[in-house]
Amino acid sequence: MRRIVGTHSAEYWLDLARYDLRAAKAMLDARQRLYVGFLCHLAIEKTLKAYWAQSKTAAPPFTHDLSLLAERTGILEEMDERAVGVLDFLEPLHIEGRYPTEKAACSGS
């Protein structure tokens, strides 16, 4: 039986991040591209929240802002330009994945 962990636990957030990453891979493999970026955003967000949970005593904030999470955990200053670019690329996909303005471009049709 799986142990239940609280939302303040790094393990909790990493389990969710792994799930989202597997879902992104499955969507990509199925050529259903619309939600791939959205799911990748979620995976990075939850990984940052896991880092937060591991390094701080308080629960991670209720935010989807990747740059804010990276900054407040202190990891942003450790990131190279490429990693920051990935955050910048994924940031708008949280909204765009749910409310696509360019559905044809995202879906590959």
Side-chain angles (χ1 to χ4, degrees):
M1 185 170 163
R2 254 183 97 122
R3 183 170 62 93
I4 305 280
V5 294
T7 59
H8 62 281
S9 161
E11 180 183 347
Y12 167 84
W13 291 109
L14 286 175
D15 281 347
L16 292 174
R18 287 182 195 106
Y19 181 90
D20 291 339
L21 200 54
R22 284 192 308 271
K25 171 97 170 70
M27 295 291 265
L28 185 62
D29 290 346
R31 301 180 53 80
Q32 301 296 314
R33 297 185 188 116
L34 183 58
Y35 293 108
V36 173
F38 174 71
L39 288 165
C40 287
H41 179 288
L42 286 177
I44 297 297
E45 175 187 330
K46 291 169 185 173
T47 300
L48 288 167
K49 288 181 177 184
Y51 186 80
W52 177 292
Q54 185 68 31
S55 60
K56 300 187 177 288
T57 56
F62 291 102
T63 184
H64 304 293
D65 188 328
L66 301 179
S67 297
L68 178 70
L69 288 166
E71 180 184 336
R72 289 198 180 164
T73 59
I75 200 171
L76 186 62
E77 60 197 35
E78 304 294 325
M79 296 173 73
D80 63 20
E81 188 176 314
R82 184 173 178 221
V84 172
V86 170
L87 293 186
D88 291 343
F89 177 79
L90 289 175
E91 197 79 62
L93 298 180
H94 178 65
I95 298 299
E96 187 63 23
R98 292 187 296 165
Y99 308 104
T101 56
E102 298 293 333
K103 182 178 177 192
C106 293
S107 64
S109 47

